[in-house]
Amino acid sequence: MTYLSYDPIPADLVDGLNPPQRAAVEYRGDALLIIAGAGSGKTRVLTHRIAGLIATREAWPSQILAITFTNKAAAEMRERVGHLLGETVQGMWISTFHSACVRILRREAEKFGYPQGFTIYDSADSKALVKRIVKALEAESLGVTPSHALNRISALKNELIDPDGFARKVDASNPRDQLVLEIYRQYQRELERNRAFDFDDLITQTVWLFRAFPDIAALYRRRFRHVLVDEYQDTNHAQYALIRELTHATPAQHVPADTRIELAADGSIPPASLTVVGDSDQSIYAFRGADIRNITEFEHDFPGAETILLEQNYRSTQNILDAANAVIGNNFDRREKSLWTAEGAGKQIVGFAGFSAHDEAQFVADEIHKLHDSGTNFNDIAVFYRTNAQTRALEEILIRSAVPYRLIGGTKFYERAEVKDILAYLLSVANPNDELSLRRIINAPKRGIGPATVTAISNFANEHDITFREALRRADDLGVGPKLRGKIAELAQILDHAEASIDPQRPTGPVLVSKMLETIIEQTGYIDALRATGNPQDDARAENVEEFINVAKEFDKQHPDGNLVDLLTEVALVAAADDIDDESGAVSLMTLHTAKGLEYEAVFLTGVEEELLPHRMSADEPGGLAEERRLFYVGITRARQVLHLSLAVSRTQYGEASTAMPSRFLDEIPASLIAWRQSPQDVMSRPTLRPTGSSGWGGGERRFGEVRTSNVLEGARGLKEPFNPRRGKRSFDNTVTGAVKDNADLELAHGDRVKHTDFGDGTVRAVLGTGSKRVAEVDFDEVGRKKLLIKVAPLEKL
DNA sequence: TTTTGTAAAGTTTTT
DNA sequence: CTTTACAAAA
């Protein structure tokens, strides 16, 4: 062990760590696997390990490469390492797989004949491209849909199989596979022609780059002597290959001449040290190609690797951990691992079964207010769900109940048509070869250039062997009418002008990116066209465009030396979890997938129903159920103090109501851990659709355990709950609806009697806030106290 | 070419 | 229920 010659690890980096954590910080060797259960302090271990390598002078900051899955996780790690080391953190690469690869690819672009400003296509772009190819091949009639083809292509890329590789192994007698092959070929050809990469390419092309240019690979291997990978259980084969490329030894013949690091006896660069952290119980990205074997076979892949198990949890109460352990214990074929905490049992898990999704959402809203009233900040509360479609009911009720919330992910700002249009202008400037972007903007705003003209331009470009963009410049030769000619030339001129204005060689210096963007918008009249329609939706779109200009301005302010390509890279790689703003006083809403890696004081896990969690789509996938269970496990383990599990026994899909069964996963939690506010039996035995105000089911006719719609309901739930005659008071016969009303002008004051569509009659207790944000606190006769946003509450004054 | 209308299809999770 | 696709009309 050569490390004895280095300085010792400073005590403050290991003090306060438990023995396995400490071992993980101190271990020195080529390969280290840290199996880190949820909440076991893995980020702490990783950051301390990095800091230790620097403090002992075993590594320069520039020799560290730390890889995470989200920018958010990368930013957090950077901040925490910075906290330990100060400025030193600047020289480290702490980034996601994707941004690290983009950085490498942009830097080496010329080596493989790409412009440094190549375009990154998002999933929508890829889909549009595949759609066009599928249509041209009439593949759909043979059962190959665009999404099917896209899935196949993505899976192939994740396995590092290019079109030729696929051609070699494809079943020649299977016409559908032959079609997929042809689509893959054309798709890849199109990407290349546009000088674009899709998301998967970012990883795979970096691997190809390293394999095709061993001398380039050697530069990176020489540089990165310590590679650390977070969430290793979610790596796919391509990412695994990338790690291998970065960490294996470099034979002497490829070692660069000016290498100053210590070489092995045979003149080669020794392998870099690799640390991976993961938890196979939290592997939830198999659908994206994540291969759990990367972690389960790590010791086999890296002989001599050390494995350290972190089981002590510093996040949740024992009750929450007991539930999590019980659930995940139903997955067979896993390395035995059991989370425990030194803190107490904590509160019981709260269960609630609503009649409808709105009913469930109302429970969430009410509980959030209770938590907030007792001192929990809104930003310490999160609501999780399996599918994005579930947000609608939640949002409706949260708005109505005056709960401030933020949607994390979902339909993102950058996916809006108008923002994509503006982005396409910038992409066209950055990468003139990007025909897809040009096609997008050629008639936005409306210039009278329809599909026919676009085809004419495209044909002209093909005939003369020039790019689409160059064809635009030669508008006069296209053989189209004079009016169109003028429009096309104008567009070409606007783009050329924009391109020239940010040229670093420009005599007066390049113009700011935001300035260039403003000029484009002004010259094209994009915003003016939206404002002119008088359609309120278009006004909103115009505002989104203005919002994007602000993003660009902010970028210019934050990155004085940044260029257009940097802005576009940042925009292309923003992920859902990235824009979580911890400072805002708002509840966070997100899917279970986005929740991974995060933690909250109080968690609401909604829609815990059969067909939803586990999702029906998972039923016929191999290992699907186990992955759904892990997803549920991830959700449970995000909670520090309070966990709520809720469901709705009926849910509307495409406007049609359908009944839902409680999830089988609920049965896997010991009954004693859950206190049901309203159990599935309660709600299913409740007479439904009775008019509000009837005495309903509140009396003694309700018998627990009597209504058993399926054996799923037996045992665990409801039966333990003591009968509570008061419950009739806080429940309501009608289900909560999504009804809203424009009440902007309604004046309310203390003592007013009001009538609410869902909650019945009540007395106004207080009115808070002003204008459209006025909130009424009402004591309802039947259902107790609620907070209501007056502007949208279905409320009238009596 | 664009607008307008009607019909059909679609929802798992995401870097 | 929503979004998207395609056809016919302006």
Side-chain angles (χ1 to χ4, degrees):
Chain A
M1 282 287 178
T2 51
Y3 80 89
L4 290 175
S5 59
Y6 297 108
D7 294 353
I9 296 177
D12 59 316
L13 288 178
V14 286
D15 283 351
L17 298 182
N18 66 36
Q21 286 179 329
R22 188 176 176 138
V25 171
E26 289 175 340
Y27 177 77
R28 293 298 182 265
D30 281 351
L32 170 63
L33 166 64
I34 304 170
I35 305 271
S40 59
K42 59 158 197 190
T43 307
R44 191 157 182 231
V45 166
L46 266 183
T47 52
H48 284 233
R49 184 170 166 80
I50 293 171
L53 288 167
I54 304 297
T56 58
R57 299 203 280 173
E58 284 162 271
W60 294 104
S62 61
Q63 292 177 327
I64 303 279
L65 171 64
I67 299 180
T68 61
F69 268 79
T70 63
N71 293 312
K72 160 99 178 161
E76 189 188 335
M77 191 175 295
R78 175 170 292 278
E79 198 200 312
R80 287 175 66 170
V81 174
H83 205 73
L84 297 170
L85 293 176
E87 299 288 295
T88 317
V89 70
Q90 298 298 332
M92 298 179 191
W93 277 36
I94 302 179
S95 68
T96 63
F97 269 107
H98 294 265
S99 37
C101 286
V102 172
R103 215 164 148 182
I104 293 169
L105 289 172
R106 291 221 192 273
R107 193 178 277 191
E108 312 296 340
E110 283 125 46
K111 310 280 198 314
F112 51 92
Y114 265 45
Q116 190 248 338
F118 63 78
T119 306
I120 302 166
Y121 282 172
D122 67 16
S123 348
D125 299 325
S126 304
K127 193 160 189 184
L129 204 55
V130 167
K131 224 174 207 170
R132 231 170 49 206
I133 296 168
V134 164
K135 205 167 178 182
L137 291 172
E138 291 177 343
E140 204 134 7
S141 56
L142 281 136
V144 180
T145 64
S147 54
H148 174 243
L150 213 47
N151 286 338
R152 292 286 299 273
I153 291 172
S154 178
L156 287 166
K157 287 189 176 184
N158 288 333
E159 288 296 320
L160 288 174
I161 300 169
D162 64 5
D164 287 340
F166 186 43
R168 265 177 259 124
K169 54 169 276 192
V170 74
D171 176 4
S173 65
N174 183 336
R176 287 178 65 189
D177 278 9
Q178 289 295 322
L179 260 180
V180 171
L181 169 62
E182 185 53 28
I183 296 166
Y184 188 12
R185 273 233 159 83
Q186 294 195 15
Y187 172 74
Q188 213 54 28
R189 204 176 298 146
E190 248 342 73
L191 283 176
E192 204 177 318
R193 204 169 61 79
N194 288 281
R195 298 291 188 267
F197 288 137
D198 65 16
F199 273 128
D200 297 320
D201 281 340
L202 297 178
I203 314 290
T204 58
Q205 297 295 332
T206 309
V207 174
W208 298 135
L209 173 78
F210 284 162
R211 290 187 180 169
F213 301 93
D215 295 335
I216 295 178
L219 292 173
Y220 290 92
R221 283 191 215 121
R222 179 180 68 172
R223 173 177 174 149
F224 299 125
R225 304 309 301 151
H226 300 272
V227 177
L228 303 96
V229 186
D230 196 9
E231 308 280 16
Y232 192 68
Q233 77 282 353
D234 286 328
T235 50
N236 59 35
H237 179 72
Q239 289 161 333
Y240 168 81
L242 180 72
I243 300 294
R244 289 230 81 139
E245 288 299 326
L246 280 169
T247 53
H248 70 65
T250 304
Q253 82 225 51
H254 293 302
V255 173
D258 58 343
T259 298
R260 294 218 297 268
I261 62 168
E262 200 179 321
L263 297 176
D266 62 358
S268 65
I269 299 176
S273 91
L274 173 64
T275 304
V276 306
V277 189
D279 176 5
S280 14
D281 289 338
Q282 292 185 65
S283 163
I284 53 173
Y285 283 107
F287 70 93
R288 212 172 67 194
D291 191 344
I292 206 160
R293 286 174 310 178
N294 288 346
I295 195 164
T296 52
E297 286 170 24
F298 184 82
E299 288 138 314
H300 174 257
D301 288 339
F302 297 87
E306 173 79 5
T307 299
I308 293 174
L309 201 61
L310 304 179
E311 287 182 303
Q312 184 175 359
N313 177 291
Y314 295 93
R315 179 187 294 156
S316 311
T317 66
Q318 191 63 50
N319 272 342
I320 291 168
L321 295 181
D322 284 348
N325 285 329
V327 166
I328 203 67
N330 288 282
N331 274 358
F332 54 93
D333 213 22
R334 61 184 274 276
R335 187 191 288 239
E336 200 50 48
K337 177 159 51 67
S338 193
L339 298 173
W340 61 278
T341 177
E343 311 302 310
K347 295 199 177 97
Q348 268 186 305
I349 295 165
V350 179
F352 181 88
F355 178 77
S356 66
H358 286 101
D359 214 0
E360 178 190 24
Q362 187 66 53
F363 160 77
V364 172
D366 289 348
E367 291 299 312
I368 288 173
H369 274 307
K370 274 190 216 160
L371 286 164
H372 187 245
D373 289 346
S374 58
T376 309
N377 289 326
F378 284 128
N379 49 335
D380 287 325
I381 302 173
V383 183
F384 302 154
Y385 36 82
R386 176 67 235 268
T387 66
N388 283 305
Q390 289 167 253
T391 54
R392 182 158 302 147
L394 283 165
E395 281 192 90
E396 281 171 9
I397 298 295
L398 292 183
I399 289 173
R400 225 177 56 169
S401 307
V403 173
Y405 70 89
R406 295 188 40 159
L407 261 190
I408 315 294
T411 313
K412 280 172 265 167
F413 177 67
Y414 294 111
E415 285 168 11
R416 292 169 178 278
E418 61 276 15
V419 178
K420 287 217 75 173
D421 285 350
I422 298 307
L423 268 171
Y425 273 99
L426 295 182
L427 288 166
S428 302
V429 173
N431 176 10
N433 287 297
D434 183 359
E435 188 177 318
L436 198 74
S437 293
L438 275 171
R439 280 174 184 261
R440 182 176 185 104
I441 57 171
I442 198 161
N443 202 30
K446 299 258 151 50
R447 297 187 175 91
I449 305 177
T453 314
V454 171
T455 309
I457 298 170
S458 178
N459 289 341
F460 182 86
N462 286 336
E463 278 161 30
H464 294 80
D465 199 28
I466 56 175
T467 64
F468 195 83
R469 173 71 175 278
E470 280 167 61
L472 289 186
R473 291 202 191 96
R474 293 172 54 180
D476 291 341
D477 307 332
L478 292 172
V480 296
K483 206 169 172 185
L484 280 175
R485 223 181 289 163
K487 287 287 185 188
I488 293 169
E490 188 191 357
L491 175 63
Q493 210 246 311
I494 290 172
L495 291 174
D496 287 340
H497 175 258
E499 202 176 325
S501 76
I502 54 160
D503 184 349
Q505 311 298 320
R506 193 167 172 263
T508 51
V511 111
L512 284 177
V513 175
S514 57
K515 186 76 206 143
M516 183 228 7
L517 176 59
E518 281 178 316
T519 309
I520 289 178
I521 289 171
E522 192 184 310
Q523 292 179 340
T524 56
Y526 192 95
I527 289 186
D528 300 337
L530 286 173
R531 294 275 185 218
T533 64
N535 179 341
Q537 284 199 330
D538 284 335
D539 276 336
R541 292 193 181 106
E543 276 165 35
N544 285 330
V545 174
E546 276 157 5
E547 178 59 30
F548 184 78
I549 297 176
N550 287 334
V551 171
K553 281 184 178 162
E554 189 58 31
F555 175 86
D556 282 333
K557 209 190 287 173
Q558 308 250 325
H559 309 82
D561 303 323
N563 57 29
L564 174 59
V565 172
D566 295 332
L567 170 67
L568 292 172
T569 305
E570 199 173 290
V571 168
L573 298 180
V574 288
D578 295 343
D579 39 51
I580 296 170
D581 178 2
D582 292 326
E583 304 309 312
S584 77
V587 174
S588 297
L589 268 60
M590 68 191 85
T591 65
L592 283 165
H593 282 89
T594 12
K596 197 179 61 164
L598 306 173
E599 58 177 73
Y600 294 88
E601 278 310 291
V603 162
F604 292 82
L605 218 169
T606 65
V608 190
E609 298 149 29
E610 282 297 301
E611 309 272 273
L612 203 52
L613 184 64
H615 196 276
R616 65 175 70 80
M617 290 298 187
S618 71
D620 33 59
E621 286 163 19
L625 184 67
E627 175 141 327
E628 296 290 304
R629 188 176 280 115
R630 289 193 291 268
L631 201 48
F632 187 51
Y633 173 80
V634 165
I636 293 173
T637 52
R638 300 306 97 196
R640 285 203 282 262
Q641 295 294 326
V642 212
L643 174 65
H644 304 77
L645 300 175
S646 63
L647 58 117
V649 297
S650 76
R651 209 168 269 281
T652 37
Q653 251 180 341
Y654 330 119
E656 209 75 14
S658 60
T659 40
M661 288 296 161
S663 170
R664 68 191 78 180
F665 297 151
L666 287 170
D667 284 334
E668 298 174 357
I669 299 175
S672 60
L673 296 177
I674 308 183
W676 287 92
R677 293 288 170 74
Q678 180 169 286
S679 74
Q681 286 92 333
D682 292 344
V683 69
M684 283 195 274
S685 59
R686 176 169 102 190
T688 55
L689 304 174
R690 285 256 191 99
T692 310
S694 77
S695 59
W697 58 281
E701 82 272 17
R702 200 164 34 110
R703 281 161 298 239
F704 286 113
E706 188 187 79
V707 177
R708 290 178 184 166
T709 21
S710 91
N711 57 3
V712 179
L713 293 179
E714 282 180 77
R717 291 180 304 287
L719 302 175
K720 293 270 172 168
E721 197 188 13
F723 178 64
N724 175 5
R726 278 178 51 80
R727 176 155 350 78
K729 191 165 189 278
R730 71 151 301 283
S731 297
F732 25 88
D733 291 340
N734 250 350
T735 75
V736 176
T737 66
V740 292
K741 192 177 166 187
D742 191 359
N743 260 339
D745 301 327
L746 184 68
E747 293 291 341
L748 290 175
H750 172 82
D752 284 349
R753 288 290 289 170
V754 291
K755 184 180 193 67
H756 187 280
T757 315
D758 298 323
F759 305 142
D761 295 355
T763 309
V764 176
R765 200 171 155 271
V767 177
L768 318 156
T770 54
S772 62
K773 296 212 168 116
R774 272 150 59 242
V775 173
E777 218 174 77
V778 182
D779 284 327
F780 286 100
D781 305 344
E782 304 270 324
V783 299
R785 184 171 301 169
K786 305 266 178 198
K787 280 190 179 139
L788 306 167
L789 189 65
I790 294 176
K791 185 176 162 34
V792 295
L795 200 66
E796 63 186 306
K797 204 153 133 181
L798 294 175

